[in-house]
Structure formats: structure tokens, C-alpha cells
Amino acid sequence: QVQLVETGGGLVQPGGSLRLSCAASGGSFGGYVMGWFRQAPGKEREFVAASARRNSHQYYQDSVKGRFTISRDSSKNTLYLQMNSLQPEDTAVYYCAADRSLIQSDYRRHAAYDYWGQGTQVTVSS
């Protein structure tokens, strides 16, 4: 059973940066597809970024390309999301997700992931 714990959320001004972390336990970290999703109040949960197994490829939602970077440190079993140039529309609860058997066409579908963290709030406001 994989357990995921996100940290690093907070309040930041527009244009600022945050780095989210997702500590994973209970599974072979490198063998999992890992993703970041977010959910704003009253909105559906949406894909942000994904890291293929062993971080072989990275995928991003168009609105975050060039601003966000997903990475993982296998020695620490930790997934990261570096977020730069944050804007008010990035405000949401951010979730880390993992799955061992996803195919590429499913990476962006939140319903396809088996394991989820509890979420961390990111608020971008002046």
C-alpha cells in the first residue's frame, strides 16, 4: 500500500515561487507513474504534471509549461513540483498521485490513479 504525504504549500504573492514535496512510502518508487493534480473551489480536479516511471519523461498541462517543473529524488522517495511565476489562477489544493500500471494515455486522468495524498493548499494572492 503506497502512502503519499504532500508538504510545501502556503501563501505566496503573484510572481513568487513554491516547491511542493510528496514523500512516498510502501512501494517501489521508481516503478510508479507519479502525478500532480490540483483542485480549486467549485472546480474539477485537473492535471498539472506527471513523471513517467523512473522519471523517463515529464508531461505538463499547457498553462504551467515553462513555469512548473516536476522531478523526483529516488534516494529520498520524494516527488517535487517546483512552481515559479505563480499567478492567482494557480490557487488550489495540490495533490500528489501514484499508480503502478498506467499507460501514457492515462497520465492526465485523475480517475486513473490509485494512490493519493491528502493535499496541500497553495494560495497566490497579494
Side-chain angles (χ1 to χ4, degrees), residues 20-35:
L20 305 183
S21 300
C22 172
S25 60
S28 177
F29 184 66
Y32 283 76
V33 175
M34 304 291 296

Side-chain angles (χ1 to χ4, degrees), residues 25-97:
S25 60
S28 177
F29 184 66
Y32 283 76
V33 175
M34 304 291 296
W36 287 102
F37 290 78
R38 66 187 181 186
Q39 190 165 17
K43 294 189 176 181
E44 300 251 336
R45 190 168 298 191
E46 65 173 1
F47 170 76
V48 175
S51 166
R53 293 174 186 83
R54 294 168 182 79
N55 206 35
S56 55
H57 291 89
Q58 299 80 45
Y59 304 84
Y60 296 95
Q61 184 199 107
D62 286 347
S63 69
V64 308
K65 280 182 184 176
R67 300 190 297 125
F68 291 10
T69 302
I70 188 170
S71 62
R72 52 169 107 186
D73 184 338
S74 295
S75 68
K76 297 181 179 179
N77 280 5
T78 300
L79 179 75
Y80 300 102
L81 185 68
Q82 177 67 44
M83 306 186 294
N84 299 328
S85 303
L86 282 161
Q87 300 301 319
E89 53 265 35
D90 296 315
T91 295
V93 178
Y94 282 70
Y95 297 91
C96 171

